[in-house]
């Protein structure tokens, strides 16, 4: 019987990548190796170019090799902010496509789905997209089905919404390779509260509220689902009330009791939050963004945006881009 080798994973880091996603991937694999006393998992850090890659917390990580040097991998995951661009827009996507052709499972954590899709490797394939990036992703990649699942594995594509879900995916890989007992012990090492099923939906905060959508009653959850699916072509509130089987007054009362807002105000905030996603994570014009959230022109959207967020979309985009270039402020040591 041929001895099984370790599962070999690569993590391709882009500048500004979320550090929590990387540690959430490596730490459970390290623990599994320690618990079993065997090298069941090995990993390498990759980058497009040589030299340290600074994460979103401005901490530098030294890659083990460049993407062009990467060989012998079973799985490769892209870790990036949603605004990440390839340093070499010709060779790097070509290398990823070559790795796909030779059978490497490709995946993405959090904003890493953007460069993976930009490489042309997600056409027609469903993928997990973090709710923060959903509006920007759907606008840029209309032919890539975006899912609210925390984890989505489909035909050698593993996509994950955020750091907590990355930990869940690694637990799933550990279970498949070493069994549920080892997986459970790893989870308990880190006091991971529960292992989510791959079909589990993301936790999404109630817009301008204090809880998550799954805390709401079924009619209100369904109303919010209708709001979510009619951002560009807003629905009338009475029509939504009728669709969820409630009278207008009863719907208004229950909705405000559960969310703290009237349905109309909630819907208005939701549309502006979708606009904000595209302001922060796309290069779309304000005219295009306004149209995508149901405004005939950009002027009223800009006015409402300032009222809700306290800053104009142009200024917020400019400030965010400046912060991404310079990184977080450094803390000076006390003398």
């Amino acid at each position: 019987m041929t001895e099984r080798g370790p599962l070999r994973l690569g993590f391709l880091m882009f500048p500004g990548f979320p550090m929590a996603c990387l540690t959430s991937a490596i730490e459970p694999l390290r623990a599994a190796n320690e618990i079993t006393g065997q090298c069941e998992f090995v990993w390498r850090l990759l980058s497009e170019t040589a030299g340290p890659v600074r994460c979103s917390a401005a901490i530098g990580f030294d890659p083990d090799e460049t993407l062009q040097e990467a060989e012998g991998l079973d799985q490769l995951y892209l870790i990036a902010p949603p605004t990440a661009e390839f340093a070499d827009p010709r060779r790097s996507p070509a290398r990823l496509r070559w790795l796909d052709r030779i059978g490497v499972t490709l995946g993405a954590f959090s904003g890493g789905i953007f460069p993976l899709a930009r490489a042309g490797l997600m056409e027609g394939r469903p993928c997990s997209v973090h709710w923060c990036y959903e509006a920007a992703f759907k606008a840029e990649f209309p032919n890539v089905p975006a899912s609210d699942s925390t984890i989505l594995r489909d035909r050698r594509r593993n996509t994950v919404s955020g750091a907590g879900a990355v930990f869940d995916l690694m637990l799933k890989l550990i279970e498949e390779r070493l069994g549920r007992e080892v997986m459970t012990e790893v989870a308990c090492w880190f006091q991971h509260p529960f292992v989510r099923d791959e079909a589990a939906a993301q936790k999404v905060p109630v817009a301008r509220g204090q809880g998550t959508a799954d805390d709401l009653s079924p009619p209100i959850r369904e109303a919010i689902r209708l709001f979510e699916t009619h951002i560009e072509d807003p629905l009338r509130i009475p029509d939504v009330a009728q669709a969820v089987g409630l009278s207008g007054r009863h719907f208004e009362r229950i909705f405000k009791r559960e969310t703290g807002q009237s349905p109309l105000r909630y819907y208005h905030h939701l549309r502006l939050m979708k606009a904000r996603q595209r302001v922060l994570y796309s290069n779309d014009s304000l005219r295009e963004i306004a149209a995508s959230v149901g405004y005939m022109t950009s002027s009223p959207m800009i006015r409402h945006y300032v009222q809700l967020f306290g800053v104009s979309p142009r200024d917020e985009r400019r400030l965010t881009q400046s912060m991404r270039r310079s990184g977080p402020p450094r803390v000076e040591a006390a003398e």
Side-chain angles (χ1 to χ4, degrees):
M1 182 175 178
T2 304
E3 186 176 348
R4 176 182 66 177
L7 187 67
R8 302 160 299 179
L9 299 94
F11 302 108
L12 177 59
M13 306 174 295
F14 288 75
F17 74 91
M19 182 175 68
C21 287
L22 181 60
T23 57
S24 292
I26 292 176
E27 284 295 280
L29 302 180
R30 174 193 62 81
N33 286 346
E34 290 192 29
I35 288 167
T36 61
Q38 302 175 53
C39 186
E40 292 287 348
F41 301 94
V42 296
W43 51 87
R44 303 205 292 273
L45 302 185
L46 280 64
S47 66
E48 284 191 83
T49 58
V53 181
R54 293 172 74 83
C55 69
S56 56
I59 298 171
F61 287 79
D62 291 321
D64 299 305
E65 59 192 11
T66 67
L67 174 61
Q68 298 301 324
E69 297 167 337
E71 292 184 356
L73 295 174
D74 298 308
Q75 301 182 6
L76 174 64
Y77 295 93
L78 280 63
I79 317 178
T83 52
E85 299 286 351
F86 288 104
D88 189 331
R90 184 182 63 83
R91 296 180 69 219
S92 294
R95 183 70 174 184
L96 290 173
R97 290 191 290 270
W98 177 79
L99 290 169
D100 178 46
R101 287 197 299 272
I102 65 173
V104 176
T105 294
L106 299 178
F109 301 157
S110 188
I113 188 61
F114 282 77
L116 188 62
R118 288 172 186 140
L121 287 159
M122 293 304 302
E123 286 294 314
R125 294 174 180 263
C127 61
S128 172
V129 177
H130 195 289
W131 63 268
C132 274
Y133 310 142
E134 177 198 19
F137 186 86
K138 287 181 175 179
E140 185 172 352
F141 307 107
N143 296 323
V144 180
S147 169
D148 68 350
S149 298
T150 56
I151 300 168
L152 208 158
R153 297 202 284 176
D154 178 73
R155 295 169 290 164
R156 289 194 298 107
R157 295 290 185 275
N158 296 347
T159 54
V160 187
S161 56
V166 170
F167 201 105
D168 289 325
L169 174 61
M170 296 303 115
L171 289 177
K172 180 62 65 175
L173 297 181
I174 291 167
E175 180 181 18
E176 291 170 353
R177 191 171 182 86
L178 300 173
R180 190 164 188 85
E181 183 177 345
V182 174
M183 181 273 285
T184 301
E185 186 169 351
V186 170
C188 290
W189 265 35
F190 296 94
Q191 291 298 291
H192 196 63
F194 57 88
V195 181
R196 283 173 291 192
D197 184 83
E198 290 182 37
Q202 297 176 45
K203 293 277 187 180
V204 180
V206 174
R208 314 299 289 182
Q210 298 179 0
T212 59
D214 50 357
D215 296 327
L216 304 174
S217 63
I220 303 307
R221 281 205 306 270
E222 175 62 13
I224 290 175
R225 188 194 69 79
L226 291 171
F227 291 161
E228 289 268 3
T229 54
H230 290 80
I231 298 296
E232 186 173 352
D233 53 338
L235 299 169
R236 296 174 62 251
I237 299 302
D239 292 339
V240 175
Q242 184 177 21
V244 300
L246 299 174
S247 69
R249 290 184 64 183
H250 192 41
F251 176 60
E252 291 266 353
R253 185 167 59 252
I254 293 177
F255 197 101
K256 189 164 187 177
R257 185 182 68 205
E258 295 193 19
T259 69
Q261 303 171 81
S262 70
L264 184 61
R265 187 173 182 81
Y266 183 98
Y267 200 3
H268 178 67
H269 286 173
L270 179 63
R271 290 163 56 206
L272 287 170
M273 289 172 71
K274 296 293 184 183
R276 192 183 198 191
Q277 290 181 15
R278 293 184 65 173
V279 167
L280 297 178
Y281 305 119
S282 80
N283 294 317
D284 298 334
S285 70
L286 295 185
R287 180 181 56 80
E288 292 171 321
I289 294 173
S292 76
V293 295
Y295 284 88
M296 296 295 290
T297 64
S298 61
S299 295
M301 185 204 73
I302 293 170
R303 184 173 66 256
H304 294 156
Y305 194 105
V306 172
Q307 291 171 351
L308 183 59
F309 302 118
V311 63
S312 74
R314 286 190 181 87
D315 288 344
E316 184 162 43
R317 175 177 277 177
R318 189 180 304 115
L319 176 61
T320 302
Q321 291 173 345
S322 175
M323 289 180 64
R324 286 172 185 152
R325 288 191 294 268
S326 60
R330 300 183 69 85
V331 177
E332 299 296 335
E335 295 189 7

